[in-house]
């Protein structure tokens, strides 16, 4: 007689064995090379994270890009830039195309290298030798020249802020030959060569006048070009008034240091800008950017401004699609989720942690579906009562303040099964590094619990959001399971499409494959 405990009959679909391991050496399912590349491109930061060194991530991207076809690399670069709003990874993928397929590079260059910062990133990656060459080459050089020759004065001034390389380095490298007199004078001004100041475009002329006499109104140039000129608090206030929505959000502590909020009416004026619905919409602001600004705001930033960031968060969440039915969100609050969401970068390390983003996703879903359940977990479910009427920021902070133990991704599913809960959609937000529920063989505990839940809820769907780039998951990809990386607005839209059955075969990788190449 066989051991019936060992060979008991299983209901439902045959579950795949977890033949790979995660960073905790626990059983897991490996993604395909395309999915791994997509995961890295949409969430990767080329910096040290809780589980990965920056060089390890770079090596993985290079290996994966060599395993997939160049067209998928090109589509991933476009997706990561336009939907994921990434910077380092799209520039790296564009640089890889400069070695692998110049025609594809030309098709995606304007969409991926869409700012001076991205241009400098692309040039630096190429000249570093990391992708197999140290020179730009004829075609990439012409693409860089075209950007320089078509950029507006404002774009050029913004691009001139920053080093390694500086825009002056790039100009010296590619030798653009402008047809307009103003552009020729501007390039000469940039690299310190003789030029006719009268031929410079208006903002640059104003900057030169301000350098000689800094008593008037500051010119409309990036404020970084003015910081060494000894501006008064009143002049700094003028800079804040003229700044874009994103610029103001990113520099609240700078304004506080320079006495802007002490100027009459400035605190209210900046608050009004931050909570302006049209400004928020134009800025295409991501909820996590608002969380970053809110968490980074020092004590010198007035309460009215901090409140405005919360108001802006509510506006940004208004763009998140509603998820209908019986929805359960499971944010991972374990110890590894305490690391910075964008990796370690010294003094520039983001104050937003992975757990903050997981909590933000949960709070956003609860805001749009007040009947949704939230089951935070570490080694087990953490019981926490959530008020859907509270602000998104308040609920996110409440969630992020709990937990800190080991990781068991199956715990919330096990809780639902013990309750025999009726469920339509489960959203698991984690770093996928489950180990408390590890099994020695067969399927992961997450897959086993999900299959049990499916017997009771045949139409249920599971979405696993990976906050940081990893090569494995606890839930194998299949028709009712979506594995997606990232935390941009595009993820919310993707969840809604998947929940409503509007997403095609291939799920997330299919979304990337659907990207149309060429200039839009």
């Amino acid at each position: 007689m066989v051991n019936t405990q060992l060979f008991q009959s299983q209901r439902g679909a045959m579950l795949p064995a977890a033949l790979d391991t995660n960073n905790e050496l626990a059983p897991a399912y490996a993604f395909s090379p395309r999915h791994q590349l997509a995961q890295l491109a949409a969430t990767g930061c080329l910096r040290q994270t809780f589980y990965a060194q920056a060089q390890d991530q770079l090596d993985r991207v290079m290996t994966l890009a060599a395993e997939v076809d160049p067209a998928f690399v090109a589509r991933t670069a476009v997706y990561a830039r336009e939907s994921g709003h990434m910077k380092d990874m799209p520039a790296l993928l564009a640089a890889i195309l400069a070695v692998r397929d110049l025609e594809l590079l030309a098709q995606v260059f304007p969409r991926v290298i869409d700012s001076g910062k991205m241009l400098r990133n692309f040039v630096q990656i190429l000249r570093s030798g990391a992708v197999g060459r140290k020179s730009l080459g004829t075609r990439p050089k012409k693409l860089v020249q075209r950007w320089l020759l078509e950029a507006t004065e404002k774009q050029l001034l913004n691009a001139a802020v920053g080093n390694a390389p500086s825009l002056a380095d790039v100009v010296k490298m590619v030798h653009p030959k402008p047809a307009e007199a103003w552009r020729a004078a501007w390039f000469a001004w940039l690299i310190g060569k003789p030029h006719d100041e009268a031929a410079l475009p208006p903002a640059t002329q104003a900057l030169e006048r301000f350098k000689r006499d800094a008593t008037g109104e500051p010119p409309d140039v990036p404020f970084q070009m003015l910081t060494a000129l000894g501006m008064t608090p009143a002049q700094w206030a003028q800079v804040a008034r003229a700044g874009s929505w994103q610029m103001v959000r990113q520099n609240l502590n700078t304004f506080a240091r320079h006495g802007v909020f002490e100027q009459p009416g400035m605190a209210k004026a900046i608050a009004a800008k931050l909570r302006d619905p049209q400004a928020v919409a134009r800025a295409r602001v991501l909820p996590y950017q608002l969380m970053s600004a809110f968490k980074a705001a020092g004590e010198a930033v007035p309460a009215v401004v901090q409140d405005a960031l919360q108001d802006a968060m509510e506006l940004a969440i208004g763009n998140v699609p509603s998820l209908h039915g019986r929805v359960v969100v499971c944010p991972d609050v374990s110890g590894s989720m305490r690391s910075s969401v964008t990796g370690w970068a010294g003094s520039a390390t983001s104050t937003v942690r992975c757990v903050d983003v997981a909590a933000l996703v949960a709070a956003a879903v609860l805001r749009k579906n007040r009947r949704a359940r939230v089951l935070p977990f570490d080694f087990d479910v953490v019981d926490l009562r959530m008020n859907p009427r509270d602000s998104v920021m308040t609920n996110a902070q409440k969630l992020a303040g709990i937990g800190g133990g080991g990781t068991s991704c199956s715990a919330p599913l096990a809780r639902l099964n013990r309750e025999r809960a009726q469920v339509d959609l489960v959203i698991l937000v984690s770093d996928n590094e489950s180990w408390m529920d590890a099994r020695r063989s067969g399927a992961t505990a997450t897959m086993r619990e999900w299959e049990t839940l499916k017997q009771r809820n045949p139409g249920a769907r599971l979405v696993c959001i990976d906050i940081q780039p990893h090569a494995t998951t606890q839930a194998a990809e299949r028709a009712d399971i979506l594995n997606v990386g990232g935390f941009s607005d595009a993820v919310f839209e993707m969840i809604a499409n998947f929940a409503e059955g509007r997403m095609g075969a291939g799920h997330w990788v299919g979304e990337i494959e659907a990207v149309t190449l060429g200039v839009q």
Side-chain angles (χ1 to χ4, degrees):
M1 183 84 178
V2 298
N3 185 332
T4 56
Q5 293 298 315
L6 186 62
F7 297 105
Q8 59 182 303
S9 299
Q10 296 183 12
R11 297 175 62 193
M14 290 291 292
L15 300 179
L19 302 178
D20 293 274
T21 57
N22 60 21
N23 288 298
E24 293 283 4
L25 302 181
Y29 301 100
F31 291 128
S32 69
R34 287 188 171 202
H35 199 124
Q36 287 188 46
L37 182 63
Q39 199 88 341
L40 278 163
T43 63
C45 47
L46 294 179
R47 293 176 181 165
Q48 178 182 336
T49 64
F50 190 89
Y51 286 107
Q53 298 294 319
Q55 186 63 49
D56 295 336
Q57 294 190 48
L58 174 59
D59 292 344
R60 267 175 60 199
V61 172
M62 295 299 298
T63 299
L64 292 166
E67 293 180 10
V68 304
D69 59 281
F72 188 78
V73 174
R75 290 185 170 91
T76 304
V78 172
Y79 185 90
R81 182 63 185 148
E82 294 185 345
S83 296
H85 307 290
M86 295 289 110
K87 297 180 179 68
D88 295 351
M89 285 293 184
L92 173 59
L93 296 177
I96 289 172
L97 289 174
V99 176
R100 290 194 63 188
D101 195 312
L102 290 172
E103 289 300 322
L104 283 172
L105 173 65
Q107 290 183 48
V108 303
F109 191 89
R111 297 171 65 184
V112 176
I113 310 304
D114 58 356
S115 71
K117 171 66 173 173
M118 293 299 295
L119 186 79
R120 292 189 293 105
N121 285 350
F122 173 76
V123 171
Q124 176 60 23
I125 291 170
L126 269 183
R127 74 174 189 172
S128 73
V131 297
R133 63 188 299 172
K134 284 196 170 184
S135 63
L136 292 183
T138 301
R139 190 69 175 274
K141 182 178 177 180
K142 288 185 179 299
L143 291 169
V144 173
Q145 287 175 337
R146 181 189 299 172
W147 191 96
L148 292 168
L149 295 174
E150 293 179 353
T152 64
E153 181 196 16
K154 185 173 184 178
Q155 289 173 322
L156 290 170
L157 285 168
N158 286 330
V161 174
N163 295 297
S166 67
L167 188 65
D169 294 333
V170 175
V171 169
K172 292 174 184 177
M173 202 180 305
V174 302
H175 305 291
K177 296 177 173 55
E180 309 103 318
W182 76 263
R183 200 180 298 270
W186 197 91
F187 288 145
W189 169 83
L190 178 70
I191 63 178
K193 287 193 172 184
H195 60 277
D196 179 7
E197 185 173 320
L200 290 172
T204 309
Q205 282 193 41
L207 173 61
E208 288 301 298
R209 291 194 298 270
F210 193 74
K211 286 178 180 179
R212 292 190 293 268
D213 180 8
T215 59
E217 182 176 341
D220 184 17
V221 298
F223 77 92
Q224 294 91 336
M225 293 180 165
L226 307 172
T227 53
L229 302 180
M231 291 194 301
T232 66
Q235 288 174 320
W236 272 103
Q238 290 176 311
V239 170
R241 285 195 193 94
S244 68
W245 191 95
Q246 289 284 22
M247 178 271 202
V248 171
R249 172 191 69 84
Q250 293 169 333
N251 292 283
L252 296 176
N253 290 330
T254 299
F255 296 152
R257 285 196 305 271
H258 290 282
V260 170
F261 297 119
E262 297 170 11
Q263 298 297 299
M266 279 308 299
K268 289 184 177 180
I270 289 179
K273 175 178 283 191
L274 290 174
R275 62 165 58 99
D276 176 44
Q278 293 183 338
V280 171
R282 284 195 302 268
R284 296 190 305 170
V285 60
L286 303 178
Y288 93 92
Q289 292 176 323
L290 287 161
M291 172 173 277
S292 177
F294 184 77
K295 288 177 64 65
E299 294 182 0
V301 177
V304 65
V305 175
Q306 297 194 36
D307 288 345
L309 290 172
Q310 296 203 56
D311 293 339
M313 173 69 82
E314 297 297 328
L315 291 170
I317 293 300
N319 296 323
V320 173
S322 296
L323 301 173
H324 304 291
R326 297 161 295 194
V327 180
V328 183
V329 192
C330 311
D332 182 351
V333 294
S334 64
S336 61
M337 295 286 284
R338 262 57 191 168
S339 62
S340 172
V341 70
T342 55
W344 188 83
S347 60
T349 299
S350 172
T351 57
V352 179
R353 305 162 299 170
C354 294
V355 69
D356 297 317
V357 174
L360 177 61
V361 172
V365 171
L366 184 63
R367 191 66 163 168
K368 300 290 288 191
N369 184 338
R370 295 191 175 188
R371 299 180 64 184
R373 291 186 65 183
V374 178
L375 297 180
F377 69 93
D378 44 26
F379 61 87
D380 200 354
V381 172
V382 180
D383 291 312
L384 180 70
R385 187 176 180 83
M386 302 289 294
N387 183 357
R389 293 181 177 273
D390 283 343
S391 72
V392 171
M393 209 79 81
T394 298
N395 276 332
Q397 287 182 312
K398 186 183 297 184
L399 279 166
I402 62 175
T407 309
S408 177
C409 288
S410 65
L413 298 176
R415 166 72 69 88
L416 294 170
N417 284 330
R418 287 195 298 272
E419 296 175 354
R420 299 193 60 78
Q422 297 299 305
V423 177
D424 296 310
L425 176 67
V426 177
I427 303 172
L428 193 73
V429 194
S430 175
D431 59 6
N432 272 333
E433 297 303 323
S434 192
W435 59 277
M436 294 289 296
D437 53 355
R439 302 176 61 92
R440 285 177 295 178
S441 62
T444 62
T446 300
M447 282 298 289
R448 290 173 182 269
E449 294 291 351
W450 178 247
E451 192 57 36
T452 299
L453 187 147
K454 286 283 290 186
Q455 297 305 309
R456 195 172 58 256
N457 303 278
R461 294 178 179 243
L462 173 65
V463 177
C464 300
I465 302 176
D466 189 357
I467 296 297
Q468 287 193 329
H470 296 107
T472 64
T473 180
Q474 291 296 298
E477 190 90 350
R478 66 184 199 185
D480 61 333
I481 299 175
L482 169 66
N483 284 283
V484 62
F487 39 84
S488 73
D489 288 337
V491 173
F492 288 109
E493 189 68 40
M494 202 173 298
I495 293 172
N497 288 339
F498 179 69
E500 298 295 330
R502 296 192 299 266
M503 185 172 283
H507 293 166
W508 189 34
V509 172
E511 294 291 301
I512 293 175
E513 288 177 331
V515 170
T516 303
L517 297 178
V519 179
Q520 298 296 297

